Amino acid sequence: MLRVTVPMFRQPVLVYGTDAAGLRRAYDRAMQRGIELAIYTHELFTTGHDEANRAAVASVVAEDLDLVGMALRAERKLVDKVVDKLRPHT
């Protein structure tokens, strides 16, 4: 498992690898549990600045987001339920 320790974080950052279906499943689980997310979509990497990034994401309904990554912070128990069955990135 890839564990990254960054001085600004109080806890390790865990990184998981998955396909689009696994990422969508984790996204849906997080939303069902009311966990606030930072999402990364394919469109974010085609724009040049924050305002354009936000507009690109806002123009797509949640079900159609082309997710490529997400970040979340919650109690360990909740995070474990969200990332259940995802493989740790090596």
Side-chain angles (χ1 to χ4, degrees):
M1 175 184 309
L2 181 61
R3 287 179 78 117
V4 180
T5 303
V6 181
M8 71 176 87
F9 297 128
R10 295 181 187 175
Q11 298 178 4
V13 174
L14 306 177
V15 180
Y16 294 86
T18 188
D19 58 10
L23 190 56
R24 173 55 63 173
R25 189 172 48 251
Y27 171 84
D28 291 340
R29 288 176 181 166
M31 298 306 293
Q32 290 167 357
R33 288 167 174 79
I35 298 173
E36 191 171 319
L37 300 173
I39 59 170
Y40 300 90
T41 66
H42 175 75
E43 292 81 12
L44 289 177
F45 299 99
T46 63
T47 62
H49 53 81
D50 186 58
E51 190 174 319
N53 290 346
R54 292 174 188 275
V57 172
S59 68
V60 179
V61 295
E63 294 79 27
D64 294 337
L65 288 170
D66 185 6
L67 295 172
V68 295
M70 68 181 194
L72 61 111
R73 182 171 185 251
E75 291 181 31
R76 177 68 186 249
K77 200 178 212 181
L78 287 174
V79 173
D80 287 346
K81 289 180 181 180
V82 169
V83 300
D84 184 45
K85 297 186 181 159
L86 296 185
R87 292 177 327 201
H89 189 287
T90 55

